[in-house]
Amino acid sequence: MRATLRDHASRAVDRIRAVAGLVESHALALGALATALVLVGVFYYPVATVFVDAIVVDGRPTIEPLVSVLTSRFYLVEIFGFTAYQAFLSTVASVALGLPGAWVLARFEFPGRETLRSLTILPFVMPSIMVAIGFVATFGQNGTLNAVLRALGLPTIELLFTLPAIVVAHAFYNAPLVARVTTAAWESVDASAIETARSLGASPVRAFRDVVLPQLLPAVAVGATLTFVFTFASFPIVLALGGFQLATVEVFIYSRIQNLAYAEAAALAVVETVISLSLTYLYLRYEGRQRAAGQGARPQPRRSLWPESVTSRELGTRLAIVGYAVVVLAVFVVPIASMILTSLTGPQGELSLRHYRFLVERQQTGAAYQVRPLPAIENSLVFGAGTLLVGVPMGVLMAVLTTRDFRGRALVDALSMAPLAVSGIVVGLGLLRGLVFGIEVFGTRITATGAVAIVAAHAVGAYPFVTRNVAPLLGNLDPRLIESARSLGASRVRALLDIELPLVAAGVVAGAAFAFAISIGEFDSTVVLAEGSTSYTMPVAVERYLGRRLGPATAMGCLLLGVTSLSFVVIERFGGRYGRGGF
Amino acid sequence: MRLTLEDVRKTYGETIALGGSEGDQPDPAAGGGANGISVDVDDGEFFTLVGPSGCGKTTTLRLVAGFEPPSAGAIRFDGESMRGVPPEDRDVGVVFQNYALFPHLSVRENVAYGLKFGDPPGGESDAERVASLLELVDLPDAGDRDPAELSGGQQQRIALARALAPGPDLLLLDEPMSALDAQLRERLRMQIKEIQSELGITTLYVTHDQEEALAISDRLAVMNGGAIEQIGTPRDVYRRPATRFVANFVGDNNVFEGPVVSIRDGREFEKTTTSVDNDRKSPDETEGSGRERMVDVDVGGTTVTVASDRRVDTGDRVVFCVRPEGMSVVGDGGDGPGTDRAGIESRARSGGDGSGTGFGDTPANVLDATVSKAEFLGESTRSHLRWNGQEVTVRSVDPLEGDVRIGFDPSAARVVETEQGRGP
């Protein structure tokens, strides 16, 4: 009798243990399922509806829109041809502008080098529409450049709505990226490998060619491929600086949407997405190879920026660096400075707050259909907070998943990173056609407001950045820490909360700041979803002002700059502490 | 607590980490009847798994801790199967080679971490428990410091304190001293042993350092290629290695092999084949419990006499080993090649060497060899000699050079492998 009782008791304990273990071991799977549902709901499904739009017209399947795109000389040459051409030029310009920067950052020592190095992350968090405003303020009819030319008595030039303006703006965005990855690769070159080559008889030039260059090239390739991917799908910069005269695929799709030509837009989007995904695949392959290269044991010593000896060679090098610094100033600092300056300048060139006053007046007296600044700021902050709420848990969970070994991990990796490769316009269009216009699920019509759709789109665009910041930290954690905690009595979830999360907190915060900044600056899908509604954000407001009034647009841009800078400070504070997160 | 491993195996896909596979087993006697490993650790025992990297010792420890499930076999704590029991419910304390202290917690918080999940033993409060453990590991004032501020040896002691804090039934130590320098290692190893015997906690210790294993263990298991080669007391394993691998791995050894040419003592050997197997798994310590007999072995043309407690017949190939300290210098090399017959007069001088089990009527073996190199080790010199085309290592107080004559007693030899010959 007693034995049976004990038997029962122990069996009950066993069962409780089994159930607890089941929940425990499936907690991660449940989280993954939730993330997957969100992704399907706000990314894969909407994108799929865009694809369906391209092959189903008026309820009948057809390949007519796709065929018309693929056989049209206009689309292939004028649109896709031009898109690829400007992306290629932008890539060349970005590499040309970025490589000297990598050389200076990796090989020279000077005050502020670390700061400059961390500033290269700035473009990632800069709203592209703000950069576009800066370039309009610099190169426009009444921009800084022409003002300087007029002051010097020289003829003015018109750079706006030309290819060079687009290419330089793209270089502004992507040259720091090239510099960043190349600097990292350069710094990881082991000095003893170079010394070995030298001791075996190689000249400095030969040692550079044989030892350093092979380690730099993959990094340059990664930077160039990424630049091409970004500039191929670039939207706000081309829209603002090229207009519809110099239309890339993205801009053209946008104009089709505005004209309600959804089938045509969808067909273009399909072709664009296929190209983007192929490019991203290329990039991921390059990046994988790049990661395989080991970390340098001992970096090369840096030279002082001040020449130690006055030889013509040393001086020549320094002169080249000074020349490069002037170019960097012109490309990176002048546009931002011009934006700030323009926002503070009156019609006669005097210092004035009238553009800001205009914003205040518009806020007080503007009509309902007019763009008012306060709702824009409010919306931006609310959407940013929403993005954090949705995107950060998704990103952390994805990071936990991707640092674990299981079957099909590569597929999960690829699927979860796909949002990076699909253009915001396509996601926006999908959400608009799907969620906002409503979908039928088991006879019930489900619709989402523009605001919800915007948060969804921002979260999908932002969570990969959280993952990228958290995953490396998680991956570097010693598994024995978790094992120690567990042998001391902590359950798996408890060990995650007590040990893992506190240790990757810096990455989570940096990732969150990224996510916030991306939400604040997001333009592509927001402009599609905010069309005609009241859920416009600061970047959308900037673009709407830009059409008629440059001054208020620059004033709005300055507000955007302020919010963005704040995000950058947070990233810098937390990302810089461990120096390993992210890019 | 009594720890039992019954026929435990671990495979990762196709790779076998622990236990042999069919046909892969070098010697079916080594792993017991089945393929897995079996170990029995007594309550309060300090038991060591020692072997080269990749031998499966750390895998075994991880299975016992519950970090990974065994592929087959059973792990029992006091007879109760641990199948499906997660690490947090096993009441084990684990100490890793790299300390694995939580970097974001202070030393005190590290030690106290395990107390969150249960009350400390002996009715102490958490704070008292932490204090008494810091006292135990001799770092009473380290509580408020960051782990990173401590030296490697101090961090390892904190890791030990943390593992012991919840009062585990079983202590698992995975190469806890491999990252420390030699002097510190010896000090810490004595400290660990002291703490262990004071607490009387059953301990499973993993190391690749055979010297450490001999110094610290009550018993040890020598592992190789996922299987256990021998289990025994340190003295036992050192003096009576069961396999050629153990002979080579534990301490210095000279290994010879050759066919048996004659058996001096005709008495029937008492042990059966199965008892040889038992001997390998858990050899009894009493020397010469089985009947030893004198066997003449032809080693590269020289006949050497060794004592064997294994059943051998004329024509069998045998492998035997002699410790360097079992060899002694007899005198300078003679003119002709040394044979066992020539050793009679020298035996008087070397008498008392060897283990002195009193084979009074057996002549010592004498080898004429040439010194090829000598290493000065401080308290002794290790000389490497060339003899008969193979290397022989001898330890002596004075350095050796030139031609030397060395000898060893038959009882200093230990037969570790036999292979049945074709002849009778």
Side-chain angles (χ1 to χ4, degrees):
Chain A
M1 188 63 203
R2 219 182 205 168
T4 6
L5 258 179
R6 202 184 302 150
D7 238 33
H8 274 297
S10 84
R11 222 173 298 153
V13 167
D14 276 356
R15 205 164 306 149
I16 291 168
R17 196 181 269 165
V19 170
L22 211 67
V23 172
E24 173 85 51
S25 60
H26 291 78
L28 208 61
L30 290 173
L33 192 70
T35 304
L37 282 177
V38 172
L39 271 185
V40 168
V42 304
F43 178 73
Y44 283 103
Y45 175 77
V47 170
T49 59
V50 173
F51 283 24
V52 169
D53 270 346
I55 51 171
V56 179
V57 175
D58 298 331
R60 240 170 301 149
T62 169
I63 53 165
E64 208 260 311
L66 270 179
V67 170
S68 78
V69 165
L70 291 173
T71 53
S72 143
R73 213 195 95 83
F74 170 74
Y75 283 134
L76 288 185
V77 177
E78 301 282 318
I79 300 298
F80 281 104
F82 174 74
T83 304
Y85 177 62
Q86 62 81 25
F88 172 74
L89 288 184
S90 302
T91 305
V92 170
S94 301
V95 171
L97 189 61
L99 283 188
W103 174 63
V104 172
L105 284 173
R107 301 294 300 118
F108 291 91
E109 190 56 78
F110 51 93
R113 184 184 58 83
E114 279 295 332
T115 312
L116 202 60
R117 190 170 194 262
S118 41
L119 278 176
T120 54
I121 204 160
L122 205 49
F124 285 111
V125 296
M126 282 232 182
S128 42
I129 192 69
M130 192 192 84
V131 175
I133 286 284
F135 273 77
V136 171
T138 309
F139 298 113
Q141 190 77 62
N142 301 309
T144 322
L145 182 65
N146 282 337
V148 171
L149 289 176
R150 262 195 294 273
L152 294 173
L154 293 168
T156 59
I157 49 172
E158 179 61 83
L159 272 178
L160 220 52
F161 304 116
T162 62
L163 191 53
I166 294 174
V167 169
V168 175
H170 281 163
F172 173 95
Y173 245 81
N174 296 295
L177 167 75
V178 173
R180 204 170 167 83
V181 292
T182 311
T183 305
W186 213 321
E187 283 172 344
S188 74
V189 172
D190 190 358
S192 38
I194 298 163
E195 284 156 9
T196 307
R198 293 294 305 279
S199 71
L200 291 170
S203 67
V205 174
R206 186 64 200 254
F208 177 83
R209 208 183 77 192
D210 292 349
V211 178
V212 181
L213 207 56
Q215 296 189 52
L216 295 190
L217 283 181
V220 177
V222 162
T225 319
L226 215 49
T227 302
F228 194 87
V229 172
F230 286 160
T231 52
F232 190 85
S234 163
F235 173 55
I237 285 176
V238 182
L239 182 68
L241 299 180
F244 292 119
Q245 301 99 305
L246 289 170
T248 58
V249 193
E250 288 274 296
V251 174
F252 204 76
I253 292 174
Y254 178 61
S255 81
R256 293 296 89 193
I257 295 169
Q258 285 190 318
N259 294 331
L260 304 180
Y262 289 122
E264 203 183 339
L268 282 167
V270 169
V271 177
E272 193 211 4
T273 304
V274 168
I275 294 173
S276 282
L277 282 177
S278 318
L279 289 171
T280 309
Y281 172 73
L282 247 173
Y283 159 70
L284 286 174
R285 277 195 51 176
Y286 262 125
E287 198 203 27
R289 218 177 296 167
Q290 165 80 347
R291 248 190 235 155
Q295 286 289 305
R298 177 167 59 93
Q300 288 172 271
R302 291 194 175 82
R303 285 193 278 166
S304 166
L305 198 58
W306 293 113
E308 281 122 29
S309 57
V310 191
T311 62
S312 59
R313 202 189 141 84
E314 291 274 296
L315 283 179
T317 309
R318 282 3 180 240
L319 269 177
I321 292 176
V322 168
Y324 175 68
V326 171
V327 174
V328 166
L329 220 62
V331 173
F332 294 96
V333 181
V334 169
I336 303 298
S338 298
M339 180 183 78
I340 298 172
L341 204 67
T342 308
S343 78
L344 293 168
T345 308
Q348 268 72 53
E350 79 283 7
L351 209 62
S352 142
L353 284 173
R354 61 194 291 268
H355 299 314
Y356 293 92
R357 216 174 298 126
F358 170 86
L359 290 183
V360 174
E361 277 162 22
R362 174 58 66 86
Q363 176 61 36
Q364 284 161 349
T365 62
Y369 61 88
Q370 283 177 320
V371 176
R372 287 181 297 165
L374 218 50
I377 296 171
E378 254 172 47
N379 284 337
S380 278
L381 292 177
V382 167
F383 296 159
T387 303
L388 288 183
L389 277 176
V390 181
V392 171
M394 264 172 89
V396 170
L397 197 81
M398 247 347 146
V400 173
L401 278 179
T402 54
T403 44
R404 241 152 243 255
D405 272 324
F406 57 91
R407 264 209 313 223
R409 205 196 102 171
L411 187 71
V412 171
D413 260 1
L415 287 179
S416 65
M417 285 299 152
L420 278 183
V422 177
S423 91
I425 289 280
V426 174
V427 176
L429 176 59
L431 283 169
L432 188 71
R433 302 278 284 151
L435 287 181
V436 179
F437 292 176
I439 46 170
E440 297 263 341
V441 179
F442 303 120
T444 320
R445 190 147 190 89
I446 295 179
T447 57
T449 63
V452 170
I454 288 173
V455 168
H458 286 190
V460 165
Y463 88 85
F465 289 87
V466 178
T467 303
R468 293 201 66 131
N469 273 280
V470 175
L473 294 182
L474 264 185
N476 283 338
L477 271 194
D478 184 358
R480 284 179 177 78
L481 290 176
I482 291 101
E483 288 171 358
S484 292
R486 296 206 62 190
S487 68
L488 288 169
S491 66
R492 184 67 193 84
V493 171
R494 189 67 199 260
L496 180 76
L497 296 177
D498 282 353
I499 309 299
E500 285 170 290
L501 283 186
L503 287 175
V504 301
V508 176
V509 174
F514 256 116
F516 189 73
I518 280 167
S519 168
I520 293 288
E522 215 283 342
F523 179 75
D524 305 19
S525 54
T526 317
V527 76
V528 174
L529 290 166
E531 192 74 35
S533 79
T534 50
S535 36
Y536 49 82
T537 60
M538 290 164 78
V540 175
V542 169
E543 200 270 338
R544 290 189 185 165
Y545 285 136
L546 183 60
R548 278 138 287 173
R549 309 165 217 275
L550 182 62
T554 56
M556 197 73 206
C558 285
L559 292 182
L560 195 48
L561 178 66
V563 176
T564 309
S565 305
L566 218 62
S567 310
F568 172 73
V569 170
V570 174
I571 291 177
E572 192 35 41
R573 276 299 285 274
F574 289 91
R577 220 173 85 197
Y578 283 90
R580 288 182 287 184
F583 294 57
Chain B
M1 194 204 73
R2 189 185 158 95
L3 166 68
T4 318
L5 274 70
E6 287 169 7
D7 200 14
V8 170
R9 269 182 294 164
K10 180 67 184 173
T11 53
Y12 297 98
E14 295 286 293
T15 321
I16 298 159
L18 202 61
S21 67
E22 255 82 24
D24 180 49
Q25 201 109 348
D27 184 350
N35 281 327
I37 66 157
S38 298
V39 173
D40 224 320
V41 183
D42 277 336
D43 186 35
E45 191 177 18
F46 198 113
F47 192 92
T48 300
L49 301 172
V50 64
S53 59
C55 72
K57 53 190 193 299
T58 294
T59 303
T60 309
L61 179 134
R62 296 177 59 77
L63 298 181
V64 172
F67 299 142
E68 288 164 52
S71 307
I75 294 169
R76 296 180 192 284
F77 290 4
D78 277 334
E80 195 186 329
S81 171
M82 285 293 118
R83 172 171 296 275
V85 179
E88 60 266 31
D89 295 336
R90 291 197 179 198
D91 283 337
V92 296
V94 185
V95 176
F96 290 110
Q97 176 181 345
N98 62 351
Y99 331 127
L101 294 176
F102 306 133
H104 59 303
L105 302 181
S106 71
V107 165
R108 174 172 292 113
E109 290 166 325
N110 263 281
V111 176
Y113 186 77
L115 303 175
K116 286 186 183 186
F117 310 104
D119 289 328
E124 279 176 301
S125 74
D126 285 9
E128 285 165 2
R129 180 70 181 165
V130 171
S132 67
L133 275 156
L134 290 177
E135 191 78 47
L136 183 71
V137 296
D138 217 9
L139 287 167
D141 304 319
D144 294 321
R145 301 176 70 181
D146 255 9
E149 296 171 31
L150 304 179
S151 72
Q154 290 171 331
Q155 288 191 46
Q156 198 53 292
R157 276 141 68 192
I158 296 302
L160 182 64
R162 181 180 67 177
L164 290 172
D169 295 332
L170 175 65
L171 183 60
L172 304 174
L173 303 159
D174 187 9
E175 306 242 8
M177 293 183 287
S178 299
L180 307 174
D181 64 67
Q183 275 197 340
L184 191 58
R185 212 151 56 208
E186 277 184 33
R187 241 190 8 244
L188 188 56
R189 128 181 136 199
M190 280 169 45
Q191 211 174 0
I192 288 181
K193 178 68 186 171
E194 260 170 44
I195 291 172
Q196 187 267 340
S197 31
E198 196 182 317
L199 301 177
I201 184 172
T202 312
T203 300
L204 187 65
Y205 187 88
V206 163
T207 181
H208 65 271
D209 184 341
Q210 47 89 19
E211 201 187 309
E212 199 170 282
L214 294 177
I216 204 171
S217 318
D218 293 330
R219 281 193 306 150
L220 58 140
V222 182
M223 296 185 71
N224 181 37
I228 291 180
E229 297 262 339
Q230 184 174 7
I231 296 179
T233 62
R235 184 184 296 252
D236 205 13
V237 169
Y238 188 82
R239 290 214 183 137
R240 298 158 60 83
T243 65
R244 184 202 280 244
F245 175 82
V246 175
N248 274 319
F249 185 78
V250 180
D252 280 345
N253 230 332
N254 296 298
V255 178
F256 304 91
E257 61 177 298
V260 173
V261 289
S262 64
I263 297 169
R264 291 283 186 91
D265 189 341
R267 277 176 300 185
E268 196 44 50
F269 193 57
E270 284 168 8
K271 289 187 173 180
T272 63
T273 319
T274 36
S275 71
V276 171
D277 283 352
N278 284 342
D279 182 54
R280 294 177 133 211
K281 273 159 78 184
S282 53
D284 35 17
E285 238 219 292
T286 33
E287 287 218 3
S289 71
R291 265 277 170 54
E292 288 185 324
R293 52 184 182 166
M294 295 301 120
V295 175
D296 288 335
V297 183
D298 176 17
V299 183
T302 305
T303 304
V304 176
T305 306
V306 300
S308 171
D309 60 357
R310 294 192 190 212
R311 181 194 187 85
V312 284
D313 287 317
T314 310
D316 289 357
R317 283 193 74 80
V318 297
V319 176
F320 65 94
C321 58
V322 183
R323 294 278 176 201
E325 63 269 27
M327 302 238 181
S328 58
V329 181
V330 179
D332 290 337
D335 297 327
T339 68
D340 51 348
R341 305 290 165 229
I344 300 170
E345 51 100 29
S346 64
R347 208 178 63 78
R349 262 187 268 164
S350 64
D353 277 355
S355 53
T357 39
F359 294 92
D361 56 340
T362 315
N365 301 295
V366 173
L367 317 174
D368 286 314
T370 311
V371 178
S372 57
K373 53 183 188 282
E375 295 167 86
F376 178 64
L377 301 176
E379 80 276 21
S380 67
T381 302
R382 179 163 51 199
S383 305
H384 301 271
L385 317 177
R386 294 299 300 170
W387 174 78
N388 235 351
Q390 79 172 92
E391 195 182 88
V392 176
T393 308
V394 179
R395 274 197 195 232
S396 59
V397 177
D398 300 315
L400 304 180
E401 48 184 343
D403 293 337
V404 290
R405 171 169 289 183
I406 50 170
F408 64 91
D409 243 27
S411 60
R414 164 84 182 164
V415 175
V416 293
E417 220 174 279
T418 61
E419 188 190 320
Q420 217 150 44
R422 264 148 279 158

